[in-house]
């Protein structure tokens, strides 16, 4: 397997990931209106941060920026080069960037055990739509659309929630939600 360390998303600045109950995580994020080099750099650094974390999705509020941007890769693999080294090898990278996304169609129902880089240590089953159609802009400001199912659909819905100030425990029963919120507050102290 060839190392893909030359790939542009495997170089960048590792951004700080904010954890619950940081206020930026519960705010509705602002639309992106300027599509410039700064935005491209932000997306690159968000992808870099996501791969290093490692995670399969990262939304701008999670790095303290209240903007409607998230990045996703539900396809890559990450493993140690060999037993002795701590060098990590990535393969099958499929970085995706979603700006000002709108979920237009939602069909069916599915349940998946979710986690979140902003809610460390919590993994719970969350109910989501099975298939979705999303319109969004790319970093050049061009209109795009994608149909998604399986993990990509779940991940888009999870990240899109972040843009509306919703974390996945908000999708649980109030009993479970309150339990985890207390747990997270305690861990933060
Ligand atoms: Ni998350």
């Amino acid at each position: 397997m060839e190392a893909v360390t030359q790939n542009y998303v495997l170089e960048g600045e590792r951004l700080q990931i904010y954890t619950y109950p940081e206020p930026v995580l519960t705010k509705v994020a602002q639309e992106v209106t300027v599509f410039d080099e700064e935005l491209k750099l932000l997306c690159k650094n968000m992808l870099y941060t996501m791969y290093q974390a490692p995670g399969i999705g990262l939304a701008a509020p999670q790095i303290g920026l209240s903007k409607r941007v998230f990045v996703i890769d539900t396809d890559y693999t990450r493993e140690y080069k060999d037993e002795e080294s701590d060098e990590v090898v990535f393969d099958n990278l499929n970085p995706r960037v979603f700006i000002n996304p709108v979920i237009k169609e939602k069909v069916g129902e599915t349940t998946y055990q979710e986690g979140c880089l902003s809610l460390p240590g919590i993994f719970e089953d969350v109910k989501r739509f099975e298939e979705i159609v999303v319109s969004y802009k790319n970093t050049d400001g061009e209109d795009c659309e994608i149909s998604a199912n399986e993990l990509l659909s779940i991940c888009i819905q999870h990240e899109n929630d972040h843009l509306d100030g919703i974390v996945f425990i908000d999708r649980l029963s109030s009993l479970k939600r309150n339990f985890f919120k207390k747990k997270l507050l305690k861990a933060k102290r």
Side-chain angles (χ1 to χ4, degrees), residues 25 57-59 62 114-119 128 155 158-159 162 166-168:
L25 292 169
L58 186 68
Q62 293 183 273
E114 298 187 18
C116 180
L117 294 171
S118 295
L119 286 73
R128 301 282 185 187
C155 194
H158 175 118
E159 300 310 328
H162 276 302
I166 297 166
V167 292
F168 80 87

Side-chain angles (χ1 to χ4, degrees), residues 8-176:
Y8 82 106
V9 288
L10 295 178
E11 287 164 14
E13 185 194 342
R14 193 160 176 178
L15 307 167
Q16 189 201 333
I17 295 176
Y18 288 61
T19 54
Y20 188 88
E22 208 53 67
V24 68
L25 292 169
T26 54
K27 262 171 68 176
V28 176
Q30 299 291 307
E31 293 251 319
V32 172
T33 53
V34 182
F35 295 81
D36 58 3
E37 288 307 307
E38 200 183 319
L39 179 69
K40 288 195 171 84
L41 183 64
L42 169 73
C43 294
K44 175 182 146 89
N45 286 333
M46 282 176 63
L47 282 162
Y48 177 75
T49 303
M50 178 191 81
Y51 287 118
Q52 298 304 315
I56 59 170
L58 186 68
Q62 293 183 273
I63 50 115
L65 195 66
S66 199
K67 287 201 170 177
R68 304 192 78 80
V69 179
F70 59 75
V71 298
I72 284 180
D73 188 343
T74 49
D75 298 311
Y76 75 98
T77 61
R78 176 189 183 275
E79 47 191 52
Y80 289 106
K81 199 171 182 186
D82 53 58
E83 275 176 25
E84 293 93 69
S85 90
D86 47 14
E87 192 186 329
V88 172
V89 180
F90 291 87
D91 199 16
N92 200 33
L93 294 178
N94 187 13
R96 300 174 191 264
V97 174
F98 295 81
I99 300 168
N100 300 341
V102 177
I103 300 178
K104 292 165 50 181
E105 286 171 44
K106 311 162 180 182
V107 181
E109 194 181 285
T110 186
T111 301
Y112 187 79
Q113 191 183 57
E114 298 187 18
C116 180
L117 294 171
S118 295
L119 286 73
I122 297 175
F123 301 91
E124 279 291 312
D125 282 352
V126 183
K127 232 185 261 175
R128 301 282 185 187
F129 296 105
E130 193 172 12
E131 286 181 45
I132 56 171
V133 177
V134 191
S135 63
Y136 62 98
K137 287 188 186 291
N138 63 18
T139 53
D140 291 319
E142 295 162 346
D143 290 317
C144 305
E145 195 173 277
I146 188 177
S147 306
N149 58 20
E150 299 182 341
L151 186 55
L152 180 60
S153 166
I154 291 160
C155 194
I156 290 171
Q157 292 172 73
H158 175 118
E159 300 310 328
N160 194 62
D161 269 356
H162 276 302
L163 308 187
D164 292 326
I166 297 166
V167 292
F168 80 87
I169 55 171
D170 291 327
R171 300 276 182 203
L172 306 177
S173 70
S174 61
L175 193 72
K176 279 194 174 180

